[in-house]
Structure formats: C-alpha cells, structure tokens
Amino acid sequence: MKSDISNWQELEREIMFQRYGRGIERVKFRLPHGVETDFYLWSGHDSIACLALTKDKQVILAKQFRPGPQKVLLEIPGGGLKVEELPEEAMARELFEETGYQGEIAFVTTIIPDAYSQNIKYAFVAVNCEKMAEPKLEDNGESVEVMLLSLDDFRKHIRTGQMTDVEISYLCLDHLGLLKEE
C-alpha cells in the first residue's frame, strides 16, 4: 500500500505572541491534497535536562513550583539555553545553579517535546556528582529544594507521571542500563 504522507508546504508565518523567549506562531501550511490551514505552534528556546547521580547512585532532584501545572513538582535538573551557549555548557550551568552539584556530563539524545512545538530538548546524564556549593539561582524569584532519591524510589516517582521530563528520565535510565530494578 502506497503512503501519501509527505512534508507540508509552509506558506506564511506570523508571530502572534512573544515574551521571555517563548511565543506562539501562526503557520499556514498547504497539505499534500491541496487544503490550506493554520496551525498555532509554540516557539521558544531549546532546553536541557539531565538524570544526575551521586557517586553512590542517589538521584539528584529539584523540588520546585511549576507555573504550568500550578503545583510543586519533584524534577530532574534542567532549564533553557542562553544565547550562543552550547547544550553541554548549559547543562553544567543549570545542574550547578539548581543543585550545587557537579559531575561528569554526557549527552544522551534530543527529544521533540510535542507535535506543536518548534524547539528541541537535549537529554544528558551526569554521573559521579559531588556537592560543591549550595544552589545559586538567577535573581528571578525562583526557589528550589534539592532532594536525593534512591534509584528504586526515583523509578516509582517517574511512573506517577507527576513531573516534567518523564521521557528524558526513562531514556537516561535506559542509557545507563538502570531502567530495570537491580
């Protein structure tokens, strides 16, 4: 059976809203069968997140309020890339700022957040992490409590789905061969 799935032709693009490096764009496409239609896409900076482990394989997490779901979540460290910052540099910076830990950082993969987003997320692991300082967040009112969980407790936590970057957590556990309980 022949598939008629192919890329759509972009006809026009308009920024509908933009603030703090995030926005909504209206993009008009011509679909393969000739229909023209608008889609509203989320735009913004690329982001990074990592599964960070101490030398004794405790998972380093950031407990913080998240404005989207409007609740406190227990999450893996991460954030946005600054202009002209390499993903590896951003990950080292965010890990240190959010948690005060430093470790050996390695790239795992990139992730497409969803079908209506134009940015990508970089997934990293950080191993053999050691606490070097207290967290030092940028001056935007954000506050973070650093927590350590055992691998078993972390696996239980990600199964609840009550965190962002669930997919990065699973991919990083798999990358390290730690997806299944030992």
Side-chain angles (χ1 to χ4, degrees):
M1 175 183 232
K2 186 178 177 204
S3 172
D4 65 346
I5 304 298
S6 62
N7 288 342
W8 300 347
Q9 179 185 8
E10 181 178 321
L11 301 174
E12 61 185 58
R13 179 179 293 258
E14 177 185 6
I15 296 172
M16 304 303 293
F17 172 82
Q18 191 166 15
R19 191 167 185 186
Y20 304 121
R22 295 178 176 94
I24 302 291
E25 293 183 5
R26 181 191 58 77
V27 183
K28 180 176 271 196
F29 287 100
R30 179 176 295 123
L31 284 59
H33 56 297
V35 171
E36 294 180 6
T37 189
D38 291 339
F39 285 84
Y40 290 85
L41 307 178
W42 181 72
S43 63
H45 51 77
D46 292 341
S47 61
I48 42 89
C50 78
L51 174 65
L53 300 173
T54 63
K55 289 183 176 190
D56 62 347
K57 293 199 172 149
Q58 295 284 302
V59 181
I60 303 164
L61 298 170
K63 184 177 183 180
Q64 57 189 328
F65 180 81
R66 306 312 282 160
Q70 296 187 23
K71 62 182 177 178
V72 174
L73 297 176
L74 189 56
E75 306 190 295
I76 60 176
L81 277 73
K82 293 182 178 180
V83 176
E84 297 187 28
E85 186 177 36
L86 295 174
E88 292 81 2
E89 295 169 343
M91 191 64 259
R93 176 185 52 76
E94 282 288 340
L95 177 62
F96 187 70
E97 285 176 1
E98 282 190 5
T99 69
Y101 280 83
Q102 291 180 327
E104 301 162 24
I105 296 174
F107 173 74
V108 175
T109 191
T110 57
I111 294 169
I112 299 167
D114 66 56
Y116 296 91
S117 177
Q118 300 176 82
N119 65 324
I120 60 171
K121 294 174 114 174
Y122 294 87
F124 291 90
V125 292
V127 296
N128 296 318
C129 293
E130 294 183 77
K131 185 159 187 169
M132 307 303 285
E134 291 302 315
K136 186 173 183 196
L137 302 170
E138 292 183 8
D139 242 356
N140 61 3
E142 196 177 27
S143 63
V144 173
E145 179 182 344
V146 178
M147 300 188 68
L148 300 178
L149 284 184
S150 69
L151 279 168
D152 286 342
D153 287 342
F154 179 66
R155 287 185 203 101
K156 290 175 189 169
H157 177 60
I158 59 177
R159 285 184 195 115
T160 69
Q162 295 302 299
M163 61 184 290
T164 60
D165 300 319
V166 168
E167 71 285 347
I168 290 178
S169 298
Y170 278 117
L171 290 166
C172 290
L173 283 171
D174 185 55
H175 177 81
L176 293 171
L178 299 172
L179 192 55
K180 295 184 180 180
E181 296 175 19
E182 299 172 343

